[in-house]
Amino acid sequence: RGHAVVAELQRTAEAVDASALNEPRLRSVLPDFVVFRTEGAIDRVANGPEKMELDEESRELNLDSSARIFRVLAAIKKYAIDLARLIDDIDAGAFVGYSLEGILRDGQGACLLPEAVALLGTMLLVSDQRLPGQTRERALVLFYRCTVGTSNEPEDFADVCRLFKSTGRPEDLATRKPGYPESYFSRFLLQKEAIRLVIGKLQTGDIYEASR
């Protein structure tokens, strides 16, 4: 399942025309998350005949892309929630005879658990590189404006926005601010002890036994 989400993320990034979402001429009707900070601002985005015309053009160009971006980000969120729940359930003894330490001692488990965690990291890094913060935010605002109050309005919209708001990632990672990507990863709550065990296993063992 994780590989399927990564594949869909790559397909979405290839299909989305980011230049249309960041078109300067349409910027006034394609705001980022700043629009949510002022009460009523979202309702005034397309005020006036000129903006209404621009808004209609923007929707034609970007609505399908915005919906696809939302869906893939929501899929990443669900993967992260399900992975966190699985780890918590294992740690709580919900699966009799299994523990995190025991799984990491098993040949298959020592591959599967680190891979599951690594896939989440891959999703986050790829989404931030291929669908940059400003592009994500403008797409999500447009998606919200087109679905709010309709049967297509998603219940988890606010959670997706919280998790995938712009990280400030620079194009040149050599100039990134301290704390990136750790601060981005910290939005997704995986049990710290499980991460410590996974990292320890990767540091001390050849999980694929490639050296044999």
Side-chain angles (χ1 to χ4, degrees):
R1 174 184 158 196
H3 290 287
V5 175
V6 172
E8 177 56 23
L9 175 59
Q10 294 280 22
R11 287 192 293 267
T12 298
E14 291 291 339
V16 166
D17 184 0
S19 63
L21 280 162
N22 295 288
E23 167 61 49
R25 189 173 57 83
L26 301 175
R27 189 68 52 82
S28 63
V29 294
L30 282 171
D32 56 24
F33 285 178
V34 172
V35 75
F36 290 133
R37 298 176 189 169
T38 304
E39 186 176 354
I42 195 75
D43 300 318
R44 298 191 294 272
V45 167
N47 269 6
E50 183 178 346
K51 282 193 174 183
M52 288 177 66
E53 187 175 332
L54 288 174
D55 188 44
E56 184 177 345
E57 180 183 350
S58 172
R59 291 181 186 227
E60 283 187 21
L61 287 172
N62 296 308
L63 182 54
D64 288 347
S65 294
S66 296
R68 189 164 181 178
I69 287 172
F70 174 81
R71 286 195 299 269
V72 76
L73 297 181
I76 296 172
K77 177 189 75 74
K78 187 176 189 310
Y79 177 88
I81 290 173
D82 289 348
L83 177 59
R85 183 180 295 121
L86 174 64
I87 289 173
D88 289 344
D89 285 349
I90 293 170
D91 191 50
F95 304 101
V96 177
Y98 289 92
S99 66
L100 293 172
E101 293 87 349
I103 288 172
L104 289 171
R105 284 195 297 269
D106 175 76
Q108 285 189 321
C111 296
L112 293 175
L113 187 57
E115 282 179 357
V117 174
L119 276 170
L120 177 58
T122 299
M123 293 173 198
L124 300 184
L125 292 176
V126 170
S127 64
D128 210 23
Q129 178 188 18
R130 302 294 305 278
L131 300 170
Q134 288 292 299
T135 299
R136 293 196 304 271
E137 291 195 4
R138 291 188 175 114
L140 291 173
V141 171
L142 177 60
F143 180 74
Y144 173 81
R145 291 180 57 232
C146 293
T147 59
V148 64
T150 73
S151 60
N152 294 321
E153 181 180 359
E155 295 181 359
D156 58 347
F157 179 80
D159 289 335
V160 171
C161 288
R162 175 178 57 83
L163 294 171
F164 291 100
K165 64 184 178 181
S166 179
T167 64
R169 178 191 186 276
E171 288 190 18
D172 181 3
L173 284 180
T175 64
R176 70 184 186 275
K177 296 179 180 179
Y180 180 88
E182 293 85 354
S183 59
Y184 179 32
F185 288 173
S186 69
R187 300 175 187 178
F188 298 80
L189 301 179
L190 293 184
Q191 190 186 116
K192 290 183 178 179
E193 177 62 12
I195 300 302
R196 186 188 69 79
L197 289 170
V198 165
I199 292 173
K201 182 64 177 179
L202 292 172
Q203 288 176 329
T204 59
D206 177 10
I207 64 172
Y208 296 113
E209 300 181 348
S211 61
R212 291 190 180 183

